[in-house]
Amino acid sequence: MIYSATIEKRNEHCKKIKTNCLIALCEIGDDYKSFCDDLEELVKSKNNWDLVNKIYHTMQGNLSIGSNKYKDFMDKHKYTIDIMNKYSCLDNITVLSYDITGKRKENLAEDYFYQYIKEHNDDIETIKAVALKIKSLGFNEIYFGEKLDFTKSEYTLDTLYGSNFAYLENIEVNPTYLSSPIKYGTNDSCYCMNLETIGFGNNKEISKYCRNIKLNSLIFDPNRLPNEITVESTIDVIYKLAQKKKAEYDDLKHSIDLSISASDLNDYFERFKVVTERIDKIKDNQELVDLLSQMQNTLTQLQLFGANFENQIIASHTGITDETMKKEKKLYIDRRDWASLDID
């Protein structure tokens, strides 16, 4: 019996399927259920997993089973078998769909996507077009989950060395203190491509391997996907968006430098006061007391000036928030602390 996926079940998990298999399911339609039900009945009659294997090889033309029952099955489902062989996914609905005892597995991805296609029968051609476009881009598998929300993550791109990165629709670069890695997100995307670069500098390339794509919809205009996966169509797009944010990068950096420097001055001043208080001959000296008071007032004014400058930067750029400032200051201090560690 075909596993009947419900909307609730679909939303619980991210399902994976071979791209070719999704295309085949779109072409086969309701014949898929008939094929699976009839195959299950054949296997049940023998309760033998080895029979599944024999039927699989027979459907590929590598073996002959003499029984008319099996020949009738082959004739009845010739179209389905031909489509599955065409897309090299016959093994998924035969030998890989049964356990060693000859029992059909539950919660199969193919059943899940068959049910999804059935529930969106009017959009079969769109689903197929999306799958074909994804296949043309070199993705052999699709991860699908209707609750996937790519807007909640921050992604990074190392501009110098080879690394993994994500490519999505509607990318928005997030200004940071450092220009590399570039940090970015999306305000809306129905896909997230996970890609890998090889090489470094101007010799970077997009690897044909270690790539996958996640979707939160199978029903969208395939033109929303890029026409090719190249450095120009992915990395360069993100890099150019970052270049457009140069003013924000510079303002953020200058504001943090000013703020951290003022804070450092204050720390040094506090240390200086501690030193003077330990020296009995000068700690009560009126001239020193006056100088320290002047320095304290100056430092307070500098910190106020820095805070006002920071507020101006936040007000001037929608991509820079108070949270951004706090986060980037902490990262700056963390990097400095790590750099100061003497690790032998």
Side-chain angles (χ1 to χ4, degrees):
M1 181 64 66
I2 294 297
Y3 169 66
S4 179
T6 63
I7 296 296
E8 290 76 20
K9 278 289 183 183
R10 275 209 308 272
N11 287 337
E12 285 179 9
H13 304 288
C14 184
K15 294 288 187 177
K16 178 179 74 172
I17 189 171
K18 288 183 177 180
T19 310
N20 268 349
C21 198
L22 180 58
I23 298 170
L25 287 173
C26 289
E27 293 192 15
I28 293 168
D30 286 337
D31 287 346
Y32 171 78
K33 183 179 187 305
S34 175
F35 175 92
C36 292
D37 287 348
D38 289 349
L39 178 60
E40 190 172 5
E41 287 302 313
L42 278 179
V43 176
K44 279 182 179 178
S45 67
K46 293 290 185 180
N47 195 26
N48 188 342
W49 180 86
D50 187 54
L51 177 61
V52 183
N53 195 39
K54 288 180 180 178
I55 294 174
Y56 165 68
H57 286 291
T58 300
M59 287 187 279
Q60 287 194 312
N62 301 325
L63 188 67
S64 176
I65 298 180
S67 172
N68 288 333
K69 186 193 309 183
Y70 306 131
K71 288 180 180 178
D72 290 343
F73 171 82
M74 299 274 292
D75 290 340
K76 178 180 178 181
H77 298 291
K78 184 179 185 305
Y79 174 74
T80 297
I81 294 168
D82 288 345
I83 294 298
M84 287 293 182
N85 276 325
K86 174 184 175 182
Y87 291 106
S88 303
C89 53
L90 184 61
D91 55 340
N92 285 78
I93 62 169
T94 54
V95 291
L96 298 181
S97 294
Y98 287 79
D99 61 27
I100 197 167
T101 67
K103 183 179 179 181
R104 195 169 191 274
K105 298 176 183 177
E106 295 183 352
N107 302 340
L108 293 168
E110 291 73 26
D111 292 352
Y112 170 90
F113 283 96
Y114 160 75
Q115 187 68 24
Y116 181 92
I117 291 170
K118 184 177 179 181
E119 292 172 5
H120 298 85
N121 187 63
D122 293 340
D123 298 302
I124 288 179
E125 290 306 314
T126 299
I127 296 171
K128 181 181 176 182
V130 168
L132 286 169
K133 183 69 173 287
I134 289 172
K135 178 182 177 181
S136 74
L137 294 174
F139 295 97
N140 297 320
E141 294 179 333
I142 292 172
Y143 293 81
F144 172 65
E146 290 178 309
K147 280 194 172 181
L148 292 176
D149 186 354
F150 306 121
T151 67
K152 293 183 178 180
S153 299
E154 184 176 70
Y155 310 92
T156 60
L157 171 65
D158 191 314
T159 59
L160 299 176
Y161 303 101
S163 62
N164 297 323
F165 73 100
Y167 188 76
L168 316 92
E169 300 178 274
N170 303 308
I171 290 174
E172 293 183 337
V173 170
N174 303 324
T176 54
Y177 183 89
L178 298 177
S179 59
S180 181
I182 297 172
K183 296 182 180 180
Y184 57 97
T186 175
N187 58 41
D188 181 38
S189 184
C190 62
Y191 64 82
C192 177
M193 300 178 180
N194 294 301
L195 306 170
E196 182 178 30
T197 60
I198 52 177
F200 60 92
N202 294 327
N203 295 318
K204 271 188 178 180
E205 294 181 3
I206 307 296
S207 173
K208 294 181 180 179
Y209 310 100
C210 301
R211 60 173 63 177
N212 66 68
I213 184 168
K214 294 180 180 179
L215 302 173
N216 56 29
S217 175
L218 294 175
I219 304 168
F220 61 91
D221 185 351
N223 289 323
R224 291 169 65 177
L225 293 159
N227 292 323
E228 57 181 358
I229 303 295
T230 62
V231 169
E232 293 74 20
S233 67
T234 57
I235 292 176
D236 284 357
V237 171
I238 300 172
Y239 183 68
K240 288 176 182 177
L241 289 172
Q243 285 183 311
K244 291 180 179 179
K245 295 270 189 175
K246 187 178 185 306
E248 291 184 44
Y249 271 94
D250 290 344
D251 283 350
L252 177 67
K253 185 176 188 301
H254 294 157
S255 177
I256 290 175
D257 284 342
L258 187 65
S259 176
I260 296 295
S261 297
S263 179
D264 288 344
L265 275 175
N266 190 68
D267 290 342
Y268 285 123
F269 175 66
E270 293 299 324
R271 288 164 58 186
F272 181 77
K273 283 202 302 182
V274 170
V275 170
T276 62
E277 289 169 359
R278 290 203 304 258
I279 304 174
D280 291 337
K281 290 184 178 182
I282 64 172
K283 66 179 181 180
D284 295 324
N285 183 282
Q286 188 58 46
E287 182 182 1
L288 177 61
V289 171
D290 292 342
L291 287 171
L292 291 176
S293 178
Q294 292 173 23
M295 290 178 66
Q296 182 68 72
N297 289 335
T298 300
L299 285 172
T300 300
Q301 291 174 2
L302 282 173
Q303 289 178 321
L304 180 60
F305 180 88
N308 289 334
F309 181 65
E310 181 176 299
N311 289 333
Q312 290 175 24
I313 299 304
I314 293 173
S316 300
H317 304 292
T318 57
I320 300 177
T321 64
D322 182 60
E323 184 178 344
T324 304
M325 286 289 186
K326 290 178 181 177
K327 176 182 175 183
E328 290 301 313
K329 285 179 190 177
K330 183 179 184 307
L331 289 173
Y332 177 98
I333 293 171
D334 289 345
R335 287 193 299 269
R336 189 171 68 177
D337 289 345
W338 275 105
S340 67
L341 292 177
D342 184 12
I343 302 175
D344 293 328

